[in-house]
Amino acid sequence: MADDYLDLNQVNQAKGEVTLPGSKSISNRVLLLAALAEGKTRLTGVLKSDDTDVMLAALKTLGVRIVQLNHDEYEVEGINAFDHSQFPQTKADIFLGNAGTAFRPLTAALAVMGGDYYLHGVPRMHERPIKDLVETLQSIGCNIEYKLNDGYPPLQINTSNLNVSAPIEIEGSVSSQFLTALLLVSPLITRKTQQDIQIKVKGELISKPYIAITLNLMERFGVKVENNNWSHFIVAKDAKYQAISHLAVEGDASSASYFMALGLVGGGPIRINGVGKSSIQGDIKFADVLVHMGADIQLQDNSIEVRGHKGLLKAFDMDFNLIPDAAMTAAVLALYADGPCTLRNIASWRVKETDRIEAMHKELEKLGAIVSSGSDWLRIEPPKHWRTASIDTYDDHRMAMCFSLAVFGPVGVRIMDPNCVAKTFPTYFDVYKGLVA
Ligand SMILES: O=C(O)C1=C[C@@H](OP(=O)(O)O)[C@@H](O)[C@H](O)C1
Ligand SMILES: C=C(OP(=O)(O)O)C(=O)O
């Protein structure tokens, strides 16, 4: 039975060493890429969590042979989607929880390859938009139907009849995962239509560093995409994914943000192994926010060491569009700032695991902060009078993880439903407890 809550005591210090679990964004992309490729790929450092479990289970249901060699090591036997245009299993009911990185790319892959597939998730997944991706796929001949509400999962996918006669247009302003999904399947589209594919982004592309991860990993599997200023992409007609003998998944840079923050407010030193300056994940740039707030950060190729100092942190007013996930960590650090802090350009928070602007607003207020917010921003005045609080987490792993940082004031906190961290970091609170005193 899930624990209802977890009481975290007030603490003064944090130090120690952690090794990060694998990156969710990389794990789910490489599982799919390896499944589509020709040949066997060995993946190490794969994240073990709800989001990756649903991707693994979906691929197995679709008939992909995946052997677990060790706890975080898998061998994936690619189906060679270029010679076999469908998955071995052409009819399936696929549950994808609340994993955007599984739902959006698999929608694109299954719609392009065709079959008889029902894709669904938890109730919140059925409130998260997918219209922009579905409309783009329909515009090139995919057969997708909404089963509950227009614009949202669940989806029924049937056999496609691809027809691409102009650049494929995709909206970029709601989630970058729609463009990621289209890019990941673009070599399948070129193969089926026997032509180069052009992709044009409509609207302002958000969360660009996640597109960089997509392009980087596609290239590792043998497909180089031409990127013209993040708005126009070209994929050549001979594009094809080739297996890689071994790919090591980096540690998760968004998960690193909590430990980096602990090193700052808790004094440190905290050493974080698994990501560093060679990372392909945009969230590594969270280090710049912490340096602004007063952290001393040493970035090695594959590790980070963080130290803080006594006293208040420097307040910030910043655009967080490039690091929407690590941005939540900054919102909680605002509790210890020397003035009001503003997070800007975070509209995508409203359509994630919960409405994160509303959730963050409510929960920071419970601790005594004075908070205001708008459609795409959040402003936090640090508490003058702290209050003890039960923090509701809204089934959002990041709400639970970032509010574990709210214990450096004069009070402890109660985290409701702490097991929601299983979405990306099931052992988070055990690791956390080993660092704070
Ligand atoms: O592509 C990815 O791996 C992700 C993209 C981001 O979503 P948006 O593009 O919707 O901001 C991010 O918030 C999510 O956790 C992972
Ligand atoms: C937004 C997130 O997840 P998803 O991949 O489901 O979009 C997240 O992990 O913060």
Side-chain angles (χ1 to χ4, degrees), residues 24-38:
K24 167 198 76 171
S25 294
I26 298 178
S27 296
N28 271 353
R29 282 168 174 78
V30 297
L31 283 168
L32 180 60
L33 286 165
L36 298 175
E38 178 178 21

Side-chain angles (χ1 to χ4, degrees), residues 224-406:
K224 178 141 180 64
V225 177
E226 186 181 320
N227 172 4
N228 298 297
N229 207 20
W230 306 98
S231 61
H232 182 199
F233 299 87
I234 302 173
V235 187
K237 75 161 176 260
D238 58 352
K240 178 173 178 175
Y241 294 132
Q242 292 290 350
I244 309 177
S245 58
H246 173 215
L247 187 146
V249 175
E250 295 176 8
D252 193 295
S254 315
S255 299
S257 74
Y258 313 112
F259 305 122
M260 291 164 76
L262 275 179
L264 170 60
V265 270
I270 289 202
R271 188 182 162 83
I272 303 158
N273 300 312
V275 284
K277 58 171 182 258
S278 65
S279 174
I280 63 168
Q281 299 166 73
D283 270 6
I284 196 73
K285 288 274 187 224
F286 182 62
D288 297 347
V289 178
L290 291 194
V291 168
H292 167 92
M293 297 187 85
D296 171 8
I297 299 193
Q298 309 278 317
L299 281 181
Q300 270 93 43
D301 276 352
N302 200 30
S303 65
I304 309 171
E305 197 159 295
V306 186
R307 288 180 170 76
H309 60 85
K310 291 253 173 293
L312 293 175
L313 307 179
K314 193 164 171 349
F316 60 83
D317 180 337
M318 290 183 188
D319 184 318
F320 282 90
N321 195 274
L322 300 181
I323 55 166
D325 293 356
M328 292 178 75
T329 313
V332 175
L333 288 181
L335 291 168
Y336 312 111
D338 60 4
C341 293
T342 307
L343 293 95
R344 299 189 188 276
N345 209 358
I346 50 166
S348 72
W349 276 23
R350 296 216 180 260
V351 291
K352 302 219 176 194
E353 281 76 339
T354 184
D355 177 338
R356 288 176 166 171
I357 294 184
E358 194 181 310
M360 195 52 90
H361 184 142
K362 278 196 188 142
E363 303 310 308
L364 286 170
E365 263 178 358
K366 285 186 184 168
L367 289 164
I370 298 173
V371 186
S372 48
S373 57
S375 59
D376 68 347
W377 60 271
L378 181 72
R379 183 178 184 276
I380 304 134
E381 273 180 53
K384 289 195 181 69
H385 306 289
W386 284 76
R387 292 192 289 260
T388 50
S390 279
I391 301 296
D392 287 310
T393 50
Y394 310 82
D395 207 13
D396 183 344
H397 55 142
R398 297 200 195 284
M399 287 295 287
M401 293 190 280
C402 53
F403 274 91
S404 72
L405 305 170

Side-chain angles (χ1 to χ4, degrees), residues 30-43 55-69 73-81 84 86-89 243-244:
V30 297
L31 283 168
L32 180 60
L33 286 165
L36 298 175
E38 178 178 21
K40 283 185 185 165
T41 297
R42 187 168 67 90
L43 301 169
M55 178 60 108
L56 276 163
L59 293 173
K60 287 180 184 167
T61 300
L62 290 165
V64 181
R65 273 203 285 273
I66 302 180
V67 181
Q68 187 165 9
L69 304 172
E73 184 175 347
Y74 294 86
E75 184 180 75
V76 181
E77 192 174 329
I79 61 159
N80 185 5
H84 309 279
Q86 289 190 302
F87 279 104
Q89 190 54 254
I244 309 177

